[in-house]
């Protein structure tokens, strides 16, 4: 019995016994349980579409060229963005025998990318521009079933309904528009894959990441010229693919949110967010964010969401938002003339980092003592304190300075990809592997320095493998059986309490002691004694046109007073923004980001009032305003943010701000 007849028999057996959810491989042997998405697709193909699984003749359904031309014009924006991402993804998996395919929401192929030597093979399988890969036409497949299920789908070999497709293995991921409707599908398909279904997880992760990036770019393009905010719980992820995006109208009402925003805010659907005021989602006044819609609002702003009180960092998206210049009043305040601009350094030395802060000076002295040794270094400190910057400077001061400094952020790479990124893999190690394999970060850093940022986010199974590499000084890439000797110097960093993670079983104690040869504790910017010097130096070094830097004394004082929750990274980004958008030769208060400009000293914030009396007065005011925080802030003569800060300082729970007192 040939493969076509066997497969048709398996399909028909399943359809006759749909409750079992099982079929028999090759018509003999133990039952094989189908994935629920595949089982549902088989039932649709047999019952709804009446497809013959064993039909021997095959010709793809291809739409008329005129109709195809119309669709290509209709999806011009999608194609422009997706083609660039598909080309990048193809380079990542080049030589692995894959075809990358983009279809519209009905399954019509709009774009494809494959190895020139395999074009004819894939076209004979029906993977060509204009072909219809809906379930109704081609049965169970990565594209059509992704459309039907509206979720990422893997269809492995015999999971295809039609016997003519059982040589294919497909990974399809949906691309959605700003309203959450299915817009397109990105699919990676290979012929005659011999790996297991589970081995396709790596390819599926890559395809899903590319689909999400296309979604994000489409969202930002659609709302270009509008006000778009990006946010995430971790400041380093804001304005990256991982951050959520919210488009807001001039009146402060939300007009659109992307999938990541839904997930971060734990929203059931878009209807729970769209149409609401931004102040109903985040504890922030719309006027602080929207009016004036100026170019000073590009840096990170710490906010909390109204529903759960969780901490986020919010930023005005610079690329998606068309900004308008604001009228700058003539000079009327005392001006602080700083030194002329100095050249910006791309790499800082330990001396550059030392500053005048006692703790930093101790850190530099300790770092110099072990710079050229093999002692592992653990750098701890809050997010944005400059942990990677310190590691690079320490590498530059060592006898390995001429060799590679290789950094890997353990928190920024999905778990399905980090293993191959760290250890590398051999050619053919799994479906989707590069033709010549890939050197992992460990091999790339041999003889130099390997920097593992956010080591606390590394999964336990990889911690075990990393410990073995450190102890044996050799690495075993995926798909190989021969270890490779390496010369490792490891530095790592984390903002988490690793000892607490050890106590709850989330971090290996033996790995901790293997990495913790010496610990460098970086202070937050608010704790540094040389904050004023850092601000002056950044103002001088970030001025890119060589002009002297001048700033109003009041504006400079605000930079000093601000708490800088994003630490040195936030300070540098804010100053870069200020210098980029300043309309005159003097930085004024109006040029500062709103969160810095509205910063109040403790006295301005009512800090000198007796706490108990102030607390009662505040509660009474909020009660009289029926929980309306904007009205209460106006009555008190302070900003809405200041009112929230007072509530937090006086331990007034969030429910007071909702009138439930």
């Amino acid at each position: 019995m040939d493969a076509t007849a066997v497969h048709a028999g398996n399909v028909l057996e399943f359809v006759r016994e749909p409750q079992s959810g099982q079929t028999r491989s090759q018509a003999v042997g133990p039952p094989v349980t189908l994935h629920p998405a595949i089982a549902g697709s088989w039932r649709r193909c047999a019952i709804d579409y009446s497809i013959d699984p064993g039909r021997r003749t095959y010709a793809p359904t291809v739409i008329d060229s005129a109709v195809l031309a119309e669709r290509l014009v209709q999806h011009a924006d999608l194609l422009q963005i997706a083609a660039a991402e598909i080309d990048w993804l193809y380079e990542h998996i080049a030589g692995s025998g894959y075809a990358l395919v983009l279809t519209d929401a009905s399954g019509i192929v709009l774009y494809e990318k494959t190895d020139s030597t395999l074009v004819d093979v894939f076209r004979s399988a029906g993977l060509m521009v204009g072909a219809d890969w809906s379930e109704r036409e081609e049965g169970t497949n990565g594209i059509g079933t992704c459309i039907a299920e509206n979720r990422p789908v893997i269809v492995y070999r015999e999971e295809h309904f039609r016997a003519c497709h059982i040589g294919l293995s497909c990974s399809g991921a949906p691309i959605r528009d700003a309203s959450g409707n299915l817009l397109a599908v990105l699919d990676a398909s290979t012929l005659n894959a011999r790996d297991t279904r589970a081995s396709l997880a790596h390819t599926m992760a890559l395809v899903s990441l590319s689909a999400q990036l296309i979604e994000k770019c489409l969202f930002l393009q659609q709302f270009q010229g509008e006000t778009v905010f990006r946010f995430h719980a971790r400041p380093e992820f804001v304005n990256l693919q991982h951050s959520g995006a919210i488009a807001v109208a001039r009146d402060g009402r939300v007009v659109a949110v992307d999938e990541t925003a839904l997930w971060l805010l734990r929203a059931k659907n878009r209807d729970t967010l769209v149409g609401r005021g931004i102040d109903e989602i985040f504890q922030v006044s719309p006027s602080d964010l929207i009016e004036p819609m100026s170019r000073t609002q590009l840096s990170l702003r710490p906010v909390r969401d109204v529903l759960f009180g969780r901490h986020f960092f919010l930023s005005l998206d610079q690329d998606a938002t068309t900004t308008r210049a604001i009228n700058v009043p003539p000079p009327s305040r005392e001006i602080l003339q700083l030194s002329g601009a100095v050249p910006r350094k791309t790499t800082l030395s330990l001396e550059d980092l030392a500053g005048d802060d006692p703790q930093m000076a101790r850190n530099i002295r300790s770092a110099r003592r072990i710079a050229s040794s093999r002692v592992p270094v653990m750098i701890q400190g809050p997010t944005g304190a400059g942990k990677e910057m310190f590691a690079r400077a320490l590498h530059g001061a060592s006898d390995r300075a001429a060799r590679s400094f290789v950094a890997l952020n353990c928190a920024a790479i999905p778990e399905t990809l980090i293993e191959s990124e760290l250890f590398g893999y051999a050619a053919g190690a799994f479906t989707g592997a590069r033709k010549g394999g890939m050197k992992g970060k460990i091999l790339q850093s041999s003889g130099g320095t390997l920097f593992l940022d956010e080591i606390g986010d590394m999964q336990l199974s990889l911690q075990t493998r990393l410990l073995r590499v450190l102890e044996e000084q050799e690495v075993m890439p995926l798909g190989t059986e021969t270890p490779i000797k390496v010369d490792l110097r490891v530095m790592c960093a984390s903002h988490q309490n690793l000892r607490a993670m050890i106590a709850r079983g989330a971090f290996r104690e033996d790995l901790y002691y293997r990495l913790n040869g010496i610990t460098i504790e970086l202070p937050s910017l608010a704790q540094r004694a040389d904050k004023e010097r850092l601000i002056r130096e950044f103002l001088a070094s970030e001025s890119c046109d060589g002009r002297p830097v001048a700033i109003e004394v009041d504006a400079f004082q605000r930079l000093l007073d601000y708490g800088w929750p994003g630490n040195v990274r936030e300070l540098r980004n804010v100053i870069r923004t200020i210098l980029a958008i300043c309309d005159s030769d003097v930085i004024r208060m109006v040029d500062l980001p709103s969160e810095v400009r509205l910063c109040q000293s403790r006295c301005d914030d009512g800090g000198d009032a007796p706490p108990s009396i102030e607390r009662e007065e505040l509660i009474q005011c909020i009660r009289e305003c029926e929980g309306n925080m904007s009205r209460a802030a106006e009555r008190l003569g302070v900003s809405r943010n200041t009112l929230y800060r007072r509530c937090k300082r006086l331990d007034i729970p969030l429910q007071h701000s909702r009138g439930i007192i």
Side-chain angles (χ1 to χ4, degrees):
M1 185 179 291
D2 63 17
T4 298
V6 170
H7 180 71
N10 288 335
V11 172
L12 294 174
E13 176 190 354
F14 170 82
V15 174
R16 283 195 298 267
E17 302 291 340
Q19 301 305 316
S20 68
Q22 295 180 333
T23 184
R24 292 186 179 275
S25 176
Q26 302 297 318
V28 293
V32 176
T33 301
L34 291 178
H35 187 279
I38 305 301
S41 176
W42 279 22
R43 295 188 184 101
R44 287 191 296 271
C45 293
I47 299 170
D48 299 341
Y49 310 141
S50 301
I51 297 175
D52 177 5
R55 192 179 70 185
R56 293 178 179 274
T57 58
Y58 172 69
T61 301
V62 181
I63 64 173
D64 180 76
S65 58
V67 177
L68 174 61
E70 290 179 3
R71 297 206 181 195
L72 294 177
V73 171
Q74 176 188 351
H75 294 291
D77 291 342
L78 166 67
L79 285 166
Q80 182 180 14
I81 291 171
E85 177 60 21
I86 290 172
D87 290 348
W88 175 90
L89 179 58
Y90 175 76
E91 290 300 322
H92 196 82
I93 62 174
S96 58
Y98 266 91
L100 296 176
V101 176
L102 178 76
T103 79
D104 64 11
S106 65
I108 303 299
V109 177
L110 304 176
Y111 185 86
E112 55 87 18
K113 181 90 172 182
T114 188
D115 192 302
S116 58
T117 62
L118 298 175
V119 170
D120 292 340
V121 177
F122 279 112
R123 284 185 177 174
S124 66
L127 291 170
M128 65 183 75
V129 173
D132 185 344
W133 275 85
S134 62
E135 270 192 350
R136 182 179 295 277
E137 290 295 329
E138 297 296 344
T140 306
N141 69 89
I143 296 167
T145 305
C146 174
I147 294 171
E149 295 285 328
N150 197 22
R151 57 173 169 165
V153 168
I154 292 175
V155 180
Y156 177 72
R157 293 182 62 82
E158 287 82 4
E159 291 176 341
H160 286 83
F161 187 83
R162 296 181 63 176
C164 58
H165 295 323
I166 60 176
L168 285 171
S169 289
C170 312
S171 302
I175 298 171
R176 300 182 178 89
D177 63 17
S179 300
N181 300 317
L182 184 70
L183 177 67
V185 171
L186 179 61
D187 173 81
S189 294
T190 186
L191 286 164
N192 302 314
R194 299 303 177 191
D195 294 336
T196 63
R197 188 182 200 275
S199 67
L200 294 174
H202 184 273
T203 303
M204 186 76 258
L206 287 174
V207 173
S208 294
L209 281 173
S210 290
Q212 291 166 18
L213 183 59
I214 293 169
E215 276 187 9
K216 185 77 69 180
C217 292
L218 286 169
F219 184 96
L220 298 179
Q221 183 183 70
Q222 179 177 346
F223 295 99
Q224 190 173 14
E226 302 294 334
T227 302
V228 177
F229 293 103
R230 307 283 292 276
F231 69 99
H232 198 277
R234 297 177 61 164
E236 65 267 31
F237 288 165
V238 177
N239 291 323
L240 297 180
Q241 179 179 347
H242 310 279
S243 64
I246 297 182
V248 181
R250 289 298 304 271
D251 63 357
R253 294 285 172 184
V254 174
V255 295
V257 297
D258 72 350
E259 289 291 323
T260 310
L262 289 177
W263 180 78
L264 288 171
L265 294 170
R266 302 180 188 173
K268 293 181 179 179
N269 52 57
R270 284 172 169 78
D271 292 341
T272 62
L273 299 176
V274 174
R276 296 173 61 186
I278 191 71
D279 58 338
E280 297 178 70
I281 298 172
F282 296 112
Q283 297 176 8
V284 63
S285 168
S287 60
D288 291 344
L289 294 176
I290 310 300
E291 299 290 349
M293 192 171 68
S294 71
R295 291 175 292 176
T296 62
Q297 298 173 330
L298 302 179
S299 62
L300 297 183
R301 178 194 188 101
V303 296
R304 290 185 180 276
D305 71 304
V306 171
L307 190 58
F308 299 103
R310 294 167 304 162
H311 194 220
F312 291 102
F313 291 88
L314 189 75
S315 172
L316 185 66
D317 188 272
Q318 186 172 3
D319 295 326
T321 302
T322 299
T323 55
R324 298 199 302 269
I326 54 177
N327 295 324
V328 179
S332 61
R333 297 180 179 173
E334 184 180 355
I335 304 298
L336 179 64
Q337 188 72 43
L338 303 179
S339 59
V342 298
R344 181 190 299 176
K345 295 184 178 181
T346 56
T347 302
L348 300 179
S349 67
L350 287 173
E351 288 76 13
D352 294 326
L353 297 178
D356 302 321
D357 181 75
Q359 184 173 346
M360 285 300 296
R362 288 193 296 272
N363 287 337
I364 300 303
R365 287 195 297 271
S366 299
R368 286 214 160 276
R369 293 192 188 101
I370 52 88
S372 294
S373 71
R374 294 280 291 273
V375 173
V377 179
M378 180 173 289
I379 306 172
Q380 295 209 276
T383 298
K387 296 186 285 293
E388 181 173 344
M389 191 184 303
F390 193 97
R392 287 185 181 275
L394 180 51
H395 169 76
S398 73
D399 57 1
R400 295 171 174 249
R403 305 297 296 274
S404 298
F405 177 90
V406 180
L408 176 69
N409 189 323
C410 302
I413 300 178
E415 289 185 1
T416 52
L417 301 181
I418 192 171
E419 185 174 18
S420 60
E421 288 285 334
L422 188 59
F423 300 105
Y425 56 80
F430 49 81
T431 302
R434 292 181 184 175
K435 186 175 182 179
M438 186 184 78
K439 288 176 65 175
K441 301 295 187 184
I442 291 175
L443 268 177
Q444 293 173 33
S445 70
S446 182
T449 299
L450 175 65
F451 176 64
L452 299 174
D453 199 6
E454 300 303 348
I455 187 70
D457 288 293
M458 180 179 287
Q459 55 186 305
L460 283 169
S461 60
L462 290 187
Q463 293 178 28
T464 302
R465 288 196 62 187
L466 176 62
L467 178 63
R468 186 176 301 116
V469 170
L470 296 178
E471 290 176 342
E472 299 174 3
Q473 289 289 296
E474 59 184 30
V475 64
M476 184 92 72
L478 301 177
T480 65
E481 298 180 357
T482 304
I484 302 173
K485 285 293 183 182
V486 289
D487 175 17
L488 286 185
R489 169 67 182 292
V490 179
M491 301 182 196
C492 67
S494 179
H495 73 283
Q496 302 183 69
N497 186 331
L498 295 181
R499 289 185 178 275
M501 293 182 67
I502 292 171
R504 63 175 186 268
F507 198 86
R508 288 187 63 111
E509 186 174 15
D510 46 5
L511 178 60
Y512 174 82
Y513 288 115
R514 186 67 179 78
L515 293 171
N516 189 22
I518 181 174
T519 299
I520 301 292
E521 294 277 355
L522 298 186
S524 66
L525 181 56
Q527 295 172 325
R528 291 188 60 157
D530 58 349
K531 183 165 71 170
E532 180 175 348
R533 182 190 66 82
L534 288 175
I535 294 174
R536 289 175 179 269
E537 288 187 355
F538 283 167
L539 283 168
S541 64
E542 296 299 331
S543 180
C544 57
D545 56 6
R547 63 181 176 178
V549 180
I551 184 172
E552 283 183 351
V553 170
D554 288 351
F556 189 81
Q557 187 61 47
R558 280 296 161 88
L559 294 177
L560 284 173
D561 291 341
Y562 184 57
W564 300 109
N567 295 293
V568 176
R569 182 190 295 124
E570 184 187 11
L571 172 62
R572 185 184 294 275
N573 290 340
V574 165
I575 288 177
R576 284 178 180 173
T577 301
I578 292 171
L579 291 170
I581 58 91
C582 182
D583 289 330
S584 67
D585 293 332
V586 179
I587 298 170
R588 305 185 187 282
M589 186 73 78
V590 72
D591 295 316
L592 304 185
S594 58
E595 65 268 25
V596 179
R597 189 174 65 251
L598 298 175
C599 168
Q600 305 285 326
S601 67
R602 191 170 187 275
C603 291
D604 290 340
D605 200 22
D608 290 337
S612 60
I613 297 176
E614 183 185 3
R615 188 175 191 277
E616 291 303 316
E617 290 177 347
L618 207 55
I619 291 175
Q620 183 61 34
C621 177
I622 296 172
R623 278 177 175 163
E624 292 173 357
C625 293
E626 299 179 341
N628 187 313
M629 296 296 277
S630 297
R631 206 171 352 144
E634 184 178 355
R635 176 180 292 190
L636 293 168
V638 298
S639 72
R640 198 165 181 266
N641 287 341
T642 297
L643 179 55
Y644 276 117
R645 285 199 300 273
R646 287 188 183 180
C647 290
K648 182 177 180 180
R649 175 167 56 81
L650 297 171
D651 196 26
I652 300 176
L654 182 62
Q655 56 262 37
H656 290 317
S657 66
R658 297 175 180 172
I660 309 172
I661 300 179

